[in-house]
Amino acid sequence: MELLVASAIGVLTMVGLYLVLSRHSFPVIIGTTFLTYAVNLFLFAMGRLAIDRAPITGSGSSDYTDPLPQALVLTAIVISFGMTALVVVLALRGFLETGTERVENSPAGDERRDLHHPGADR
């Protein structure tokens, strides 16, 4: 079971990184979502969650589960939802201002310059 969970975390991370490195904004958004899924699964796996055990309620109880990983994952879900909403709004604003949804690093005001020809800006 540990190999399956570790493989799932690795696959989610690889797919997320591949999509984040693309040149279009929609795959970048989906890639960050995959990365947050990988982090959430990693937090659950590191928390050693137990089935049918009570959370920490008092001293003297030796059979309990730690509620901290569940709280961390719940917080991460809320933060990732807010982050995804912000990135979608930024991508929409970028599309409305530039007319394209490509993610490129071009100087301001030089969107139409041909970068393959050094003398094209003269």
PDB file of all heavy atoms in Angstrom, residues 63-85:
ATOM      1  N   ASP A  63      -4.653   4.365  22.335  1.00  0.00           N
ATOM      2  CA  ASP A  63      -5.116   4.063  20.982  1.00  0.00           C
ATOM      3  C   ASP A  63      -5.828   5.292  20.416  1.00  0.00           C
ATOM      4  O   ASP A  63      -7.024   5.456  20.587  1.00  0.00           O
ATOM      5  CB  ASP A  63      -6.077   2.878  21.044  1.00  0.00           C
ATOM      6  CG  ASP A  63      -5.868   1.926  19.897  1.00  0.00           C
ATOM      7  OD1 ASP A  63      -4.803   2.013  19.262  1.00  0.00           O
ATOM      8  OD2 ASP A  63      -6.773   1.119  19.639  1.00  0.00           O
ATOM      9  N   TYR A  64      -5.080   6.166  19.746  1.00  0.00           N
ATOM     10  CA  TYR A  64      -5.655   7.395  19.224  1.00  0.00           C
ATOM     11  C   TYR A  64      -5.034   7.724  17.872  1.00  0.00           C
ATOM     12  O   TYR A  64      -4.051   7.129  17.456  1.00  0.00           O
ATOM     13  CB  TYR A  64      -5.447   8.559  20.194  1.00  0.00           C
ATOM     14  CG  TYR A  64      -3.998   8.904  20.434  1.00  0.00           C
ATOM     15  CD1 TYR A  64      -3.345   9.807  19.613  1.00  0.00           C
ATOM     16  CD2 TYR A  64      -3.284   8.336  21.480  1.00  0.00           C
ATOM     17  CE1 TYR A  64      -2.019  10.125  19.819  1.00  0.00           C
ATOM     18  CE2 TYR A  64      -1.966   8.646  21.694  1.00  0.00           C
ATOM     19  CZ  TYR A  64      -1.333   9.547  20.859  1.00  0.00           C
ATOM     20  OH  TYR A  64      -0.022   9.850  21.057  1.00  0.00           O
ATOM     21  N   THR A  65      -5.623   8.681  17.200  1.00  0.00           N
ATOM     22  CA  THR A  65      -5.078   9.196  15.948  1.00  0.00           C
ATOM     23  C   THR A  65      -4.828  10.688  16.096  1.00  0.00           C
ATOM     24  O   THR A  65      -5.517  11.385  16.844  1.00  0.00           O
ATOM     25  CB  THR A  65      -6.031   8.912  14.773  1.00  0.00           C
ATOM     26  OG1 THR A  65      -5.424   9.354  13.572  1.00  0.00           O
ATOM     27  CG2 THR A  65      -7.356   9.601  14.947  1.00  0.00           C
ATOM     28  N   ASP A  66      -3.850  11.162  15.395  1.00  0.00           N
ATOM     29  CA  ASP A  66      -3.462  12.564  15.483  1.00  0.00           C
ATOM     30  C   ASP A  66      -4.341  13.398  14.541  1.00  0.00           C
ATOM     31  O   ASP A  66      -4.373  13.138  13.337  1.00  0.00           O
ATOM     32  CB  ASP A  66      -1.995  12.710  15.106  1.00  0.00           C
ATOM     33  CG  ASP A  66      -1.452  14.095  15.358  1.00  0.00           C
ATOM     34  OD1 ASP A  66      -2.119  14.873  16.068  1.00  0.00           O
ATOM     35  OD2 ASP A  66      -0.356  14.407  14.856  1.00  0.00           O
ATOM     36  N   PRO A  67      -5.056  14.406  15.024  1.00  0.00           N
ATOM     37  CA  PRO A  67      -5.917  15.212  14.156  1.00  0.00           C
ATOM     38  C   PRO A  67      -5.157  16.296  13.381  1.00  0.00           C
ATOM     39  O   PRO A  67      -5.745  16.947  12.525  1.00  0.00           O
ATOM     40  CB  PRO A  67      -6.914  15.842  15.135  1.00  0.00           C
ATOM     41  CG  PRO A  67      -6.167  15.936  16.412  1.00  0.00           C
ATOM     42  CD  PRO A  67      -5.265  14.733  16.445  1.00  0.00           C
ATOM     43  N   LEU A  68      -3.873  16.498  13.655  1.00  0.00           N
ATOM     44  CA  LEU A  68      -3.115  17.566  13.005  1.00  0.00           C
ATOM     45  C   LEU A  68      -3.028  17.397  11.484  1.00  0.00           C
ATOM     46  O   LEU A  68      -3.219  18.389  10.758  1.00  0.00           O
ATOM     47  CB  LEU A  68      -1.718  17.684  13.625  1.00  0.00           C
ATOM     48  CG  LEU A  68      -0.860  18.810  13.085  1.00  0.00           C
ATOM     49  CD1 LEU A  68      -1.497  20.154  13.397  1.00  0.00           C
ATOM     50  CD2 LEU A  68       0.531  18.725  13.656  1.00  0.00           C
ATOM     51  N   PRO A  69      -2.736  16.213  10.926  1.00  0.00           N
ATOM     52  CA  PRO A  69      -2.695  16.102   9.459  1.00  0.00           C
ATOM     53  C   PRO A  69      -4.020  16.449   8.799  1.00  0.00           C
ATOM     54  O   PRO A  69      -4.045  17.068   7.734  1.00  0.00           O
ATOM     55  CB  PRO A  69      -2.332  14.640   9.209  1.00  0.00           C
ATOM     56  CG  PRO A  69      -1.669  14.194  10.442  1.00  0.00           C
ATOM     57  CD  PRO A  69      -2.290  14.971  11.555  1.00  0.00           C
ATOM     58  N   GLN A  70      -5.126  16.091   9.428  1.00  0.00           N
ATOM     59  CA  GLN A  70      -6.426  16.421   8.861  1.00  0.00           C
ATOM     60  C   GLN A  70      -6.654  17.930   8.872  1.00  0.00           C
ATOM     61  O   GLN A  70      -7.192  18.489   7.907  1.00  0.00           O
ATOM     62  CB  GLN A  70      -7.524  15.710   9.640  1.00  0.00           C
ATOM     63  CG  GLN A  70      -7.421  14.212   9.550  1.00  0.00           C
ATOM     64  CD  GLN A  70      -8.369  13.502  10.488  1.00  0.00           C
ATOM     65  OE1 GLN A  70      -9.221  14.128  11.112  1.00  0.00           O
ATOM     66  NE2 GLN A  70      -8.224  12.198  10.589  1.00  0.00           N
ATOM     67  N   ALA A  71      -6.222  18.588   9.930  1.00  0.00           N
ATOM     68  CA  ALA A  71      -6.360  20.047  10.002  1.00  0.00           C
ATOM     69  C   ALA A  71      -5.455  20.724   8.967  1.00  0.00           C
ATOM     70  O   ALA A  71      -5.852  21.715   8.338  1.00  0.00           O
ATOM     71  CB  ALA A  71      -6.025  20.535  11.400  1.00  0.00           C
ATOM     72  N   LEU A  72      -4.254  20.193   8.784  1.00  0.00           N
ATOM     73  CA  LEU A  72      -3.345  20.766   7.784  1.00  0.00           C
ATOM     74  C   LEU A  72      -3.893  20.612   6.377  1.00  0.00           C
ATOM     75  O   LEU A  72      -3.815  21.539   5.562  1.00  0.00           O
ATOM     76  CB  LEU A  72      -1.972  20.106   7.887  1.00  0.00           C
ATOM     77  CG  LEU A  72      -1.126  20.477   9.094  1.00  0.00           C
ATOM     78  CD1 LEU A  72       0.138  19.633   9.129  1.00  0.00           C
ATOM     79  CD2 LEU A  72      -0.778  21.948   9.074  1.00  0.00           C
ATOM     80  N   VAL A  73      -4.455  19.453   6.068  1.00  0.00           N
ATOM     81  CA  VAL A  73      -5.007  19.230   4.733  1.00  0.00           C
ATOM     82  C   VAL A  73      -6.236  20.097   4.515  1.00  0.00           C
ATOM     83  O   VAL A  73      -6.424  20.656   3.432  1.00  0.00           O
ATOM     84  CB  VAL A  73      -5.308  17.731   4.516  1.00  0.00           C
ATOM     85  CG1 VAL A  73      -6.114  17.510   3.255  1.00  0.00           C
ATOM     86  CG2 VAL A  73      -4.015  16.950   4.449  1.00  0.00           C
ATOM     87  N   LEU A  74      -7.078  20.250   5.519  1.00  0.00           N
ATOM     88  CA  LEU A  74      -8.239  21.127   5.385  1.00  0.00           C
ATOM     89  C   LEU A  74      -7.802  22.569   5.115  1.00  0.00           C
ATOM     90  O   LEU A  74      -8.356  23.249   4.249  1.00  0.00           O
ATOM     91  CB  LEU A  74      -9.105  21.057   6.642  1.00  0.00           C
ATOM     92  CG  LEU A  74     -10.376  21.898   6.630  1.00  0.00           C
ATOM     93  CD1 LEU A  74     -11.295  21.431   5.516  1.00  0.00           C
ATOM     94  CD2 LEU A  74     -11.062  21.827   7.960  1.00  0.00           C
ATOM     95  N   THR A  75      -6.789  23.018   5.827  1.00  0.00           N
ATOM     96  CA  THR A  75      -6.255  24.366   5.592  1.00  0.00           C
ATOM     97  C   THR A  75      -5.656  24.471   4.198  1.00  0.00           C
ATOM     98  O   THR A  75      -5.845  25.479   3.498  1.00  0.00           O
ATOM     99  CB  THR A  75      -5.199  24.701   6.655  1.00  0.00           C
ATOM    100  OG1 THR A  75      -5.784  24.544   7.946  1.00  0.00           O
ATOM    101  CG2 THR A  75      -4.695  26.115   6.498  1.00  0.00           C
ATOM    102  N   ALA A  76      -4.937  23.443   3.760  1.00  0.00           N
ATOM    103  CA  ALA A  76      -4.328  23.464   2.422  1.00  0.00           C
ATOM    104  C   ALA A  76      -5.388  23.482   1.326  1.00  0.00           C
ATOM    105  O   ALA A  76      -5.203  24.122   0.291  1.00  0.00           O
ATOM    106  CB  ALA A  76      -3.420  22.258   2.252  1.00  0.00           C
ATOM    107  N   ILE A  77      -6.512  22.808   1.543  1.00  0.00           N
ATOM    108  CA  ILE A  77      -7.588  22.821   0.557  1.00  0.00           C
ATOM    109  C   ILE A  77      -8.170  24.220   0.421  1.00  0.00           C
ATOM    110  O   ILE A  77      -8.402  24.707  -0.691  1.00  0.00           O
ATOM    111  CB  ILE A  77      -8.678  21.801   0.942  1.00  0.00           C
ATOM    112  CG1 ILE A  77      -8.168  20.385   0.745  1.00  0.00           C
ATOM    113  CG2 ILE A  77      -9.956  22.018   0.137  1.00  0.00           C
ATOM    114  CD1 ILE A  77      -9.073  19.327   1.319  1.00  0.00           C
ATOM    115  N   VAL A  78      -8.375  24.899   1.527  1.00  0.00           N
ATOM    116  CA  VAL A  78      -8.922  26.260   1.489  1.00  0.00           C
ATOM    117  C   VAL A  78      -7.940  27.211   0.812  1.00  0.00           C
ATOM    118  O   VAL A  78      -8.326  28.036  -0.032  1.00  0.00           O
ATOM    119  CB  VAL A  78      -9.272  26.739   2.913  1.00  0.00           C
ATOM    120  CG1 VAL A  78      -9.643  28.202   2.929  1.00  0.00           C
ATOM    121  CG2 VAL A  78     -10.401  25.900   3.489  1.00  0.00           C
ATOM    122  N   ILE A  79      -6.673  27.094   1.138  1.00  0.00           N
ATOM    123  CA  ILE A  79      -5.662  27.966   0.535  1.00  0.00           C
ATOM    124  C   ILE A  79      -5.538  27.685  -0.959  1.00  0.00           C
ATOM    125  O   ILE A  79      -5.435  28.617  -1.769  1.00  0.00           O
ATOM    126  CB  ILE A  79      -4.319  27.797   1.257  1.00  0.00           C
ATOM    127  CG1 ILE A  79      -4.410  28.387   2.664  1.00  0.00           C
ATOM    128  CG2 ILE A  79      -3.185  28.455   0.476  1.00  0.00           C
ATOM    129  CD1 ILE A  79      -3.209  28.094   3.530  1.00  0.00           C
ATOM    130  N   SER A  80      -5.568  26.412  -1.362  1.00  0.00           N
ATOM    131  CA  SER A  80      -5.446  26.099  -2.788  1.00  0.00           C
ATOM    132  C   SER A  80      -6.667  26.568  -3.572  1.00  0.00           C
ATOM    133  O   SER A  80      -6.536  26.967  -4.730  1.00  0.00           O
ATOM    134  CB  SER A  80      -5.226  24.604  -2.990  1.00  0.00           C
ATOM    135  OG  SER A  80      -6.376  23.884  -2.632  1.00  0.00           O
ATOM    136  N   PHE A  81      -7.848  26.539  -2.953  1.00  0.00           N
ATOM    137  CA  PHE A  81      -9.033  27.060  -3.633  1.00  0.00           C
ATOM    138  C   PHE A  81      -8.889  28.560  -3.876  1.00  0.00           C
ATOM    139  O   PHE A  81      -9.165  29.045  -4.976  1.00  0.00           O
ATOM    140  CB  PHE A  81     -10.292  26.778  -2.813  1.00  0.00           C
ATOM    141  CG  PHE A  81     -11.535  27.334  -3.422  1.00  0.00           C
ATOM    142  CD1 PHE A  81     -12.087  26.742  -4.535  1.00  0.00           C
ATOM    143  CD2 PHE A  81     -12.142  28.451  -2.885  1.00  0.00           C
ATOM    144  CE1 PHE A  81     -13.237  27.259  -5.112  1.00  0.00           C
ATOM    145  CE2 PHE A  81     -13.290  28.980  -3.450  1.00  0.00           C
ATOM    146  CZ  PHE A  81     -13.838  28.376  -4.568  1.00  0.00           C
ATOM    147  N   GLY A  82      -8.439  29.292  -2.868  1.00  0.00           N
ATOM    148  CA  GLY A  82      -8.222  30.729  -3.035  1.00  0.00           C
ATOM    149  C   GLY A  82      -7.134  31.035  -4.049  1.00  0.00           C
ATOM    150  O   GLY A  82      -7.259  31.957  -4.862  1.00  0.00           O
ATOM    151  N   MET A  83      -6.057  30.239  -4.025  1.00  0.00           N
ATOM    152  CA  MET A  83      -4.969  30.444  -4.972  1.00  0.00           C
ATOM    153  C   MET A  83      -5.424  30.159  -6.399  1.00  0.00           C
ATOM    154  O   MET A  83      -5.091  30.907  -7.334  1.00  0.00           O
ATOM    155  CB  MET A  83      -3.796  29.535  -4.617  1.00  0.00           C
ATOM    156  CG  MET A  83      -2.607  29.685  -5.533  1.00  0.00           C
ATOM    157  SD  MET A  83      -1.380  28.417  -5.309  1.00  0.00           S
ATOM    158  CE  MET A  83      -2.245  26.983  -5.887  1.00  0.00           C
ATOM    159  N   THR A  84      -6.211  29.107  -6.586  1.00  0.00           N
ATOM    160  CA  THR A  84      -6.705  28.782  -7.919  1.00  0.00           C
ATOM    161  C   THR A  84      -7.638  29.876  -8.434  1.00  0.00           C
ATOM    162  O   THR A  84      -7.564  30.258  -9.608  1.00  0.00           O
ATOM    163  CB  THR A  84      -7.432  27.426  -7.898  1.00  0.00           C
ATOM    164  OG1 THR A  84      -6.536  26.435  -7.406  1.00  0.00           O
ATOM    165  CG2 THR A  84      -7.908  27.042  -9.272  1.00  0.00           C
ATOM    166  N   ALA A  85      -8.489  30.398  -7.584  1.00  0.00           N
ATOM    167  CA  ALA A  85      -9.378  31.488  -7.998  1.00  0.00           C
ATOM    168  C   ALA A  85      -8.573  32.722  -8.405  1.00  0.00           C
ATOM    169  O   ALA A  85      -8.879  33.370  -9.410  1.00  0.00           O
ATOM    170  CB  ALA A  85     -10.346  31.832  -6.872  1.00  0.00           C
TER     171      ALA A  85
END
